[in-house]
Structure formats: structure tokens, C-alpha cells
Amino acid sequence: MKICRTIEELTSTIEEIKQENKTIGLVPTMGALHEGHKSLFRKAREENDVFISSVFVNPIQFNNKEDFEKYPRDEQKDLNILEECGCDIAFVPTADEIYKQEPKEFHFGALEQVMEGKQRPGHFSGVANIVSRLFLWTKADRGYFGEKDYQQIAIIKEMIRQENINIEIVSCPIYRDEDGLATSSRNQRLSPEARKIAPKIHQILEKSYLQRNSLSLSQIKRFVEDEFEKIKDFELEYFLIVDDTTLQPIHTKNPGHGVVGCVAVWLDGVRLIDIQRYY
Ligand code: AMP
């Protein structure tokens, strides 16, 4: 595995690969790698000649300084995992390297006026800055993203449309621990007691899914909110049922579109997100 720390090292390596007409799959990450990341790595490894991953805790996508500072970092462990997963190139830059050229402001209209975009102002512009740069520097044919960050996938698809970047966006299913908790780098900040409560997020969503034939979407929403309310350790930030393409909250299913429930909830000072498809 080649480790690149500068844009120049990365782009010159890419030039050589592209001369050989090889396909490139990219998995952008913020490190603290876990099984969820590994599920993306496996797919990228399988589907491309060359598999690149980046490890970069992107400061400009954090709207909360404490969250940025507390974000878990262990470079050596991450590099070992990447190597085990058959990664060809690990891009591990510093923030100074990435932002030699000032970030620009992206706008995504209605797509970013709900959920993560609404709760975390500037977050998606920050994500778009790093991801667009990674796409351009790596010349990737495919970019792999997890459905846990459901809104992020819609934003990235809109970003490549705005920037005219030719890349296939591959969305990958949520990887869960055995007890149903979606794996996340933030999970390691949960106390052992909170870790035992955390799987209830998925349990509540699954329970609501099982009632989808007897309840309206508004009733499902109320049901989920009530279930979270019953567990005092949770502080629900939002639960929205949205159209799977426009991401706008809906009360009835749009023909031909899917329906997804998206949740953000605080537990033990840690903000956790998850989704549930209903249709
Ligand atoms: P992060 O390092 O948290 O920025 O995540 C990097 C990529 O891995 C993003 O596309 C995430 O959506 C994806 N990812 C993180 N956790 C999971 C998971 N549990 N299942 C599937 N994908 C995930």
C-alpha cells in the first residue's frame, strides 16, 4: 500500500495508474475505521482495479468545535486496517495541505434545509469541499458512500451535477453490530451503559417499520417520537419521514419514490444517526 500525504504525491501516482487505463474506486473516510468502513472497502476492492481510501478529519464540516476535537484519531491503526483490506493507496493529508486553496461555499437549496443540513449549518458545504477535491485529485471512476449518512449521498450526487464531475456514486447499505446498532466512529465515545441502550434506536425504527401497513406516515412519526420519549437517556433531535429522492418531509408516499425515516438522537453526550426505509 502506498501512503500519500501530499496532493502532488497523490496526483502523480494517479497519472501513472490512468496511463494504464485502470479503474479507480475511492472511499473517503474520517478514520477511526470500523466494520462499517470495511464493508465499503470490500465493495471498492471488488469493483475496481485500484482501491484508494482517504483518512482526513475535515475541520470545515464540523459546526461543533468540541465534536471536532473529540473525534477519535489513530492513524497507525487506520493504516493497518486499510492494508488488511487490500487498499492500494492511502491518502492521509493535513488540513493545511487540503486547504492550500481556500474552501468555497456550496449551496444545495431544499436538499440541505432539512435534517443534518438544518441542524449543522455549513456541514454539507464542508463535506462538498473535501469530497469534490478528492474526486478531482483521484480521478476516481466510482465513489463509495454509506447509507447511514443518507442525506450526504443526495448532497454528493447534487454536488457532482453542479461541478460536472463524471463519477459513479455507489451507495452501500448500513453495517450494524450484532445488536443492531449502526457502527460509527462515535460509538466508542459511549459509556458501557449507554452502549447497551444505543441498539434501541434501531429497535424502535424496526418496530415502526412492522406497523407500516396499519399506520399512516404521520402516525409512524408520532409512534417513533413517543418511543424515544419513553427512554429518558435519549434526547431526540429529529425524526423525519422523507421522500427518498427530494429528502423533503412527506405525509403520503410519492408514486415511484421510496420513503425513508431519518433520526438524530443524543445519548450520553454523543449524537447518533440512523435511518429506516419504509417503502
Ligand atoms: P466517516 O468516516 O464517518 O466519514 O464515514 C466514511 C464513510 O463510511 C461514509 O460514506 C459513511 O456513510 C460510511 N459509513 C460509516 N459508518 C457506516 C456504517 N455503519 N455502514 C455503512 N457505511 C458507513
Side-chain angles (χ1 to χ4, degrees):
M1 180 173 80
K2 179 160 186 179
I3 299 171
C4 295
R5 294 188 184 275
T6 65
I7 299 160
E8 205 185 316
E9 275 175 291
L10 176 67
T11 50
S12 63
T13 311
I14 298 296
E15 281 314 309
E16 288 167 25
I17 294 167
K18 279 290 157 188
Q19 273 166 21
E20 296 171 37
N21 274 329
K22 289 183 173 163
T23 58
I24 298 177
L26 169 72
V27 186
T29 84
M30 297 205 298
L33 302 176
H34 50 70
E35 291 298 324
H37 295 113
K38 286 190 200 171
S39 66
L40 272 56
F41 297 159
R42 279 193 289 274
K43 216 163 156 47
R45 177 64 287 170
E46 260 169 47
E47 296 179 351
N48 302 278
D49 298 322
V50 174
F51 153 38
I52 304 182
S53 184
S54 54
V55 175
F56 177 61
V57 185
N58 179 29
I60 70 165
Q61 75 183 65
F62 285 79
N63 55 319
N64 178 328
K65 193 164 169 256
E66 195 186 334
D67 191 27
F68 173 66
E69 279 162 5
K70 281 195 183 162
Y71 203 84
R73 294 166 172 88
D74 189 340
E75 185 184 297
Q76 196 48 55
K77 194 171 161 205
D78 288 341
L79 291 174
N80 292 343
I81 291 174
L82 285 175
E83 184 130 47
E84 280 163 22
C85 292
C87 180
D88 297 298
I89 302 169
F91 182 45
V92 195
T94 61
D96 287 343
E97 182 69 13
I98 294 290
Y99 294 114
K100 275 196 264 193
Q101 200 186 340
E102 287 285 301
K104 73 174 207 178
E105 235 180 82
F106 282 84
H107 298 282
F108 299 107
L111 269 187
E112 66 174 344
Q113 278 152 22
V114 289
M115 304 191 287
E116 296 304 284
K118 183 174 173 197
Q119 301 296 338
R120 306 175 67 186
H123 170 66
F124 284 125
S125 184
V127 170
N129 267 279
I130 179 63
V131 175
S132 60
R133 287 170 197 217
L134 290 171
F135 284 174
L136 294 172
W137 294 328
T138 60
K139 296 199 165 85
D141 299 277
R142 300 187 185 88
Y144 294 79
F145 296 87
E147 285 197 347
K148 184 165 87 71
D149 299 280
Y150 194 80
Q151 192 174 11
Q152 174 169 277
I153 297 182
I155 292 281
I156 286 167
K157 287 183 178 166
E158 173 59 17
M159 179 277 285
I160 62 170
R161 197 194 61 77
Q162 288 180 11
E163 298 291 295
N164 232 336
I165 301 175
N166 185 17
I167 184 169
E168 180 190 343
I169 303 301
V170 183
S171 29
C172 307
I174 298 187
Y175 186 93
R176 300 180 183 280
D177 280 337
E178 266 179 27
D179 57 13
L181 177 65
T183 57
S184 163
S185 308
R186 290 185 174 89
N187 292 355
Q188 49 177 283
R189 282 168 40 201
L190 294 170
S191 68
E193 294 73 36
R195 177 61 190 77
K196 283 190 203 137
I197 297 165
K200 293 200 187 298
I201 299 170
H202 180 55
Q203 286 164 17
I204 292 172
L205 293 176
E206 265 196 322
K207 224 159 119 185
S208 72
Y209 172 81
L210 294 175
Q211 302 189 61
R212 77 194 207 284
N213 292 327
S214 51
L215 299 184
S216 68
L217 295 184
S218 311
Q219 287 170 326
I220 292 178
K221 183 171 189 297
R222 177 75 57 81
F223 172 82
V224 169
E225 287 168 348
D226 287 349
E227 291 294 300
F228 276 106
E229 183 73 39
K230 282 184 202 161
I231 301 168
K232 292 296 163 218
D233 302 88
F234 285 135
E235 195 190 317
L236 186 64
E237 189 171 293
Y238 65 76
F239 173 68
L240 286 183
I241 297 182
V242 302
D243 179 285
D244 72 343
T245 312
T246 65
L247 298 190
Q248 299 311 298
I250 45 171
H251 298 289
T252 47
K253 181 182 172 319
N254 291 320
H257 285 203
V259 176
V260 184
C262 301
V263 69
V265 59
W266 288 87
L267 172 66
D268 192 27
V270 182
R271 187 173 184 275
L272 300 171
I273 58 171
D274 204 341
I275 68 152
Q276 174 68 53
R277 276 183 188 282
Y278 292 102
Y279 296 99

